[in-house]
């Protein structure tokens, strides 16, 4: 047995309990350590990792409400383990594991007690440490005992058990975590040599984690240009992609940005930013579309502009869920510094899936095209493009988890509703998650209002849609207990109570403020007729988790 001083101040661990982790990224701390050790210290060909989740109703009592992460990697040698258990003791080589705090902070965030057991490869020993925060604090101890026993020399790997989770994980959360892990480690689990296999289970039901994001086909088309408010094509067909090789804040940024052949707000993750081949931001469920590049969320760039960038030398937050730089500054830098990117933005703005007349054939002559992406103000709205005129471009393929049948139109409750579904119009995308939550909440008025919002054209009825959207959130807030007039402020307070992160809260506030301000303008202002409601489509997609959480709160209250 040997002892390790695990903290100069044990109260530090109490502070870690309230840190802003997302459960997916918290689990990634353990996976980072496993993969880092495999890369740096192992002669194994393949790393196998299992993540086993156990609900509070699991039939084996000792396993209930816990997570067990098991890797069959090189294990942790005794001297390395001493450093690994000490906070802020950085590894000798930089890579996926770098701060020396991730495993400890994530483990304490999940639970008060966690047990680490490791079998160093070829050493024939078993090392085990039981970290119980409440016991250490109550006894005034900061020294952790590590037991050492002999073991079969063929054993190797590490097991971490997180016992008595603070926040229970149900099957829905489990599935979301698996999707997130598949996105974050896509470069490791999708290689031809298959160097890392990540498996998971929920109450014994096993699955293999796979990547959901598989990239997108690049648009091949001639240039689409605007002349005197008309769209024309010019030149030969080409692939709309640019290589990125630039420096931001003195550090390299490499990769590519292109236009997707089939666009859509929902299926486009925006920019996928990697660090040491691990995704930091830009997943299929949490998109990354910095305003400095994409403009407002209703811009056409949000539908088609997509890319993969590697930023290995750039610093990240210690939770590894964002880079340390300002996102808007980063987007502006790309727009200004990357050659050919402005051409992509113009093409995204002007492209029509159904085609356009050839500028050469009609004899108008090629216009002197100033970069219209720069000319357009932040409040400009894109003209209806193929996303509002050609429903086929909104179809997600099955590998992207799309729902072709109702992604952009809602199915009327019955024929007497009076809403004919016209898929040629841009509408608020219908969400099965919101509909399911509405039914469970038994909130009839929001239910009927939401279904109406999803079948009315945002292009043809913008004023009606803003008033309807404002009413929807105002009613939702009141049913959740809001007694004031500002539903944005109310939902901002509730978001944190419902388990959303500060970043989620910030994003929700922006979208709710947009709905609130525009709804009030069209209701009360005497000159409010010139308005576009296209952005509401994206607003409702982004606000979907908040809407579902609010409806679940209503259901629990009734």
């Amino acid at each position: 047995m040997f002892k390790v001083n695990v903290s100069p101040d044990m109260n530090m661990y109490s502070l870690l309990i309230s840190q802003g982790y997302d459960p997916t990224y918290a689990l990634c701390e353990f996976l980072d350590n496993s993969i880092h050790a495999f890369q740096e210290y192992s002669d194994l060909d393949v790393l196998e990792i299992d993540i086993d989740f156990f609900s509070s109703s699991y039939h084996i009592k000792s396993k209930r409400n816990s997570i067990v992460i098991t890797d069959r990697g090189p294990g942790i040698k005794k001297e390395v383990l001493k450093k690994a258990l000490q906070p802020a003791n950085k590894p000798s080589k930089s890579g996926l594991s770098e701060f020396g705090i991730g495993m400890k902070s994530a483990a304490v965030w999940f639970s008060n007690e966690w047990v680490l057991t490791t079998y160093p490869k070829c050493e024939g020993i078993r090392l085990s440490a039981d970290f119980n925060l409440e016991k250490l604090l109550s006894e005034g101890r900061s020294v952790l005992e590590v037991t050492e026993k002999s073991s079969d020399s063929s054993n190797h790997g590490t097991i971490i058990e997180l016992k008595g989770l603070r926040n229970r994980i149900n099957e829905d959360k489990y599935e979301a975590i698996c999707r997130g892990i598949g996105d974050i480690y896509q470069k490791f689990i999708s290689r031809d040599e298959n160097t890392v296999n990540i498996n998971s289970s929920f109450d014994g039901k096993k699955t293999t984690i796979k990547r959901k994001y598989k990239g997108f086909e690049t648009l091949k088309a001639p240039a689409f240009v605007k002349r005197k408010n008309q769209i024309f094509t010019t030149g030969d067909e080409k692939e709309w992609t640019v290589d990125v090789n630039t420096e931001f804040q003195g550090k390299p940024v490499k990769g590519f940005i292109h236009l997707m052949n089939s666009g859509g707000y929902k299926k486009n993750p925006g920019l996928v930013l990697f660090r040491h081949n691990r995704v930091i931001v830009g997943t299929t469920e949490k998109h990354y579309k910095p305003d400095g590049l994409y403009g407002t969320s209703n811009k056409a760039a949000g539908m088609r502009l997509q890319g993969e960038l590697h930023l290995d030398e750039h610093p990240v937050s210690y939770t590894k869920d964002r880079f340390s730089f300002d996102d808007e500054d980063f987007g502006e830098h790309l727009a200004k510094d990357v050659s050919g990117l402005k051409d992509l933005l113009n093409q995204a703005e002007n492209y029509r899936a159904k085609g356009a007349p050839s500028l050469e054939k009609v004899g108008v002559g090629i216009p002197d095209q100033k970069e219209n992406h720069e000319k357009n103000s932040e409040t400009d709205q894109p003209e209806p493009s193929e996303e509002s005129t050609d429903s086929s471009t909104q179809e997600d393929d099955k590998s992207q988890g799309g729902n072709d049948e109702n992604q952009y139109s809602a199915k009327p409750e019955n024929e007497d509703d009076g809403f004919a579904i016209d898929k040629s119009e841009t509408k608020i995308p219908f969400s099965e998650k919101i509909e399911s939550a509405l039914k469970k909440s038994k909130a009839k008025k929001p239910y009927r209002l939401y279904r109406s919002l999803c079948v009315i054209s945002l292009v043809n009825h913008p004023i009606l849609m803003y008033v309807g959207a404002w009413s929807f959130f105002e009613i939702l807030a009141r049913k959740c207990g809001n007694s004031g007039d500002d539903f944005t402020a109310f939902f901002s307070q509730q978001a944190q109570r419902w388990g959303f992160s500060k970043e989620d809260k910030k994003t929700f506030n922006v979208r709710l403020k947009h709905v609130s301000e525009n709804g009030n303008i069209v209701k009360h202002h005497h000159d409010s007729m010139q308005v576009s409601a296209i952005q509401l489509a994206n607003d409702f997609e982004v606000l979907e988790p908040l809407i579902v959480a609010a409806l679940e709160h209503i259901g629990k209250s009734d």
Side-chain angles (χ1 to χ4, degrees):
M1 179 187 294
F2 58 91
K3 297 182 179 182
V4 178
N5 191 324
V6 292
S7 176
D9 182 0
M10 288 302 297
N11 288 319
M12 176 197 73
Y13 285 98
S14 299
L15 297 175
L16 294 176
I17 295 171
S18 59
Q19 63 193 318
Y21 260 125
D22 173 281
T24 301
Y25 281 88
L27 276 172
C28 286
E29 295 289 1
F30 306 105
L31 303 184
D32 282 350
N33 288 348
S34 294
I35 297 172
H36 182 89
F38 170 71
Q39 290 175 322
E40 298 297 331
Y41 308 111
S42 176
D43 57 357
L44 299 168
D45 294 326
V46 178
L47 174 64
E48 296 281 347
I49 302 175
D50 292 333
I51 313 171
D52 299 311
F53 296 76
F54 300 96
S55 71
S56 56
S57 59
Y58 189 60
H59 66 278
I60 300 176
K61 189 174 182 180
S62 61
K63 293 284 188 181
R64 288 177 185 171
N65 198 29
S66 68
I67 302 173
V68 180
I69 305 108
T70 305
D71 76 54
R72 284 171 287 286
I76 308 174
K77 294 180 180 294
K78 185 186 298 186
E79 293 304 314
V80 176
L81 181 60
K82 290 178 181 179
K83 294 180 179 180
L85 291 172
Q86 294 172 338
N89 201 325
K90 296 184 178 182
S92 57
K93 295 184 179 181
S94 62
L96 294 179
S97 179
E98 63 175 301
F99 294 112
I101 189 65
M103 179 185 73
K104 283 79 70 176
S105 62
V108 169
W109 182 82
F110 271 116
S111 60
N112 272 324
E113 183 180 8
W114 50 279
V115 179
L116 183 151
T117 304
T118 187
Y119 301 84
K121 192 170 184 290
C122 300
E123 292 192 7
I125 60 171
R126 170 185 180 272
L127 305 173
S128 183
D130 188 336
F131 185 105
N132 189 315
L133 182 59
E134 287 184 353
K135 188 175 181 180
L136 288 168
L137 289 174
S138 65
E139 295 176 359
R141 291 192 297 115
S142 61
V143 175
L144 193 66
E145 294 181 349
V146 180
T147 61
E148 180 178 343
K149 295 182 179 179
S150 60
S151 174
D152 189 326
S153 59
S154 64
N155 290 337
H156 58 87
T158 300
I159 305 167
I160 297 175
E161 301 173 79
L162 307 171
K163 299 183 175 183
L165 303 178
R166 302 181 197 283
N167 298 300
R168 295 179 179 181
I169 295 178
N170 58 27
E171 198 159 2
D172 287 339
K173 288 183 179 179
Y174 159 73
E175 290 175 355
I177 288 170
C178 290
R179 290 193 297 269
I181 290 174
D183 274 345
I184 291 169
Y185 295 101
Q186 59 185 262
K187 294 289 186 183
F188 298 94
I189 62 179
S190 65
R191 291 174 175 171
D192 292 336
E193 59 268 31
N194 203 26
T195 53
V196 178
N197 291 328
I198 304 177
N199 307 298
S200 66
S201 71
F202 187 84
D203 282 355
K205 183 180 178 182
K206 295 185 179 295
T207 188
T208 298
I209 292 180
K210 298 179 180 179
R211 58 176 179 150
K212 183 179 179 184
Y213 167 77
K214 297 180 180 179
F216 300 94
E217 182 183 353
T218 301
L219 175 68
K220 291 182 68 175
F224 281 67
V225 296
K226 182 182 288 186
R227 185 181 177 92
K228 296 180 180 179
N229 292 322
Q230 294 185 51
I231 298 296
F232 300 92
T233 62
T234 182
D236 296 328
E237 184 176 86
K238 69 173 187 176
E239 287 195 345
W240 289 89
T241 182
V242 297
D243 291 330
V244 177
N245 189 353
T246 183
E247 283 194 355
F248 178 63
Q249 297 181 349
K251 295 178 174 62
V253 178
K254 297 181 180 181
F256 72 90
I257 298 176
H258 70 150
L259 296 183
M260 297 161 52
N261 183 55
S262 175
Y265 285 124
K266 191 169 185 178
K267 72 177 181 181
N268 180 11
L271 300 181
V272 183
L273 304 189
F274 295 88
R275 191 169 185 270
H276 302 303
N277 280 329
R278 175 209 198 265
V279 171
I280 302 298
V281 292
T283 65
T284 52
E285 296 195 3
K286 292 188 177 181
H287 300 174
Y288 181 69
K289 300 175 181 177
D291 287 347
L293 176 61
Y294 283 80
T296 52
S297 60
N298 60 308
K299 292 288 186 182
M303 294 184 181
R304 288 193 180 274
L305 193 72
Q306 196 272 326
E308 298 179 12
L309 303 176
H310 293 262
L311 299 89
D312 290 353
E313 297 181 24
H314 286 261
V316 293
S317 65
Y318 81 93
T319 51
K320 300 177 191 171
D321 58 357
R322 63 186 181 277
F323 283 93
S324 299
F325 50 65
D326 181 86
D327 292 334
E328 187 169 357
D329 289 346
F330 179 64
E332 288 178 353
H333 169 81
L334 293 175
K336 293 176 182 177
D337 197 70
V338 176
S339 176
L341 190 49
K342 290 178 182 178
D343 292 335
L344 291 189
L345 293 167
N346 286 327
Q347 179 76 351
E349 198 79 18
N350 297 326
Y351 179 75
R352 302 292 182 265
K354 290 185 177 180
S358 168
L359 195 60
E360 288 81 5
K361 288 183 179 180
V362 297
V364 180
I366 299 177
D368 180 17
Q369 185 174 355
K370 302 291 184 182
E371 303 297 349
N372 59 19
H373 178 73
E374 292 180 336
K375 283 185 174 183
N376 293 340
S377 68
E378 286 296 309
T379 56
D380 287 343
Q381 308 292 337
E383 291 187 2
S385 60
E386 82 287 350
E387 278 74 17
S388 60
T389 59
D390 182 0
S391 63
S392 66
T393 62
Q394 291 294 352
E395 295 179 356
D396 285 328
D397 58 49
K398 292 183 180 180
S399 69
Q400 294 298 331
N403 190 330
D404 301 337
E405 182 178 347
N406 56 19
Q407 187 181 353
Y408 278 83
S409 60
K411 189 176 181 180
E413 194 170 11
N414 54 58
E415 294 300 325
D416 296 328
D417 282 344
F419 297 118
I421 300 175
D422 180 2
K423 290 187 178 181
S424 69
E425 298 290 356
T426 298
K427 302 182 179 72
I428 290 174
F430 179 74
S431 165
E432 290 185 340
K433 290 182 180 179
I434 292 178
E435 185 189 46
S436 176
L438 279 163
K439 287 180 178 178
K440 289 178 182 178
S441 72
K442 299 180 180 179
K444 293 182 179 179
K445 192 171 182 180
Y447 177 76
R448 296 287 296 177
L449 182 53
Y450 176 72
R451 296 185 74 86
S452 298
L453 288 171
C454 291
V455 296
I456 299 175
S457 168
L458 291 167
V459 177
N460 295 333
H461 304 288
I463 294 175
L464 180 63
M465 292 303 290
Y466 268 121
V467 174
W470 183 93
S471 299
F472 176 79
F473 285 104
E474 197 270 343
I475 293 169
L476 200 62
R478 291 198 179 279
K479 283 191 168 290
C480 287
N482 183 32
S483 57
D485 297 326
D486 188 352
F487 61 72
T488 300
F490 173 76
F491 283 124
S492 179
Q493 293 175 349
Q494 294 299 108
Q496 204 157 355
R497 296 175 185 172
W498 293 339
F500 292 104
S501 69
K502 291 182 180 179
E503 289 300 314
D504 289 334
K505 176 181 170 182
K506 183 179 177 182
T507 300
F508 294 154
N509 283 351
V510 172
R511 304 312 177 114
L512 288 167
K513 187 177 180 181
H514 171 254
V515 174
S516 176
E517 289 180 349
N518 283 278
N520 276 309
I521 287 172
V522 298
K523 282 192 299 147
H524 301 301
H525 200 279
H526 69 280
D527 188 23
S528 61
M529 298 300 291
Q530 298 298 321
V531 64
S532 170
I534 294 175
Q535 186 171 337
L536 280 174
N538 192 230
D539 289 338
F540 267 77
E541 287 182 344
V542 173
L543 291 167
E544 179 191 71
L546 181 69
I547 295 170
V548 171
L551 292 167
E552 289 176 348
H553 175 78
I554 294 170
K556 292 176 183 177
S557 302
D558 291 342

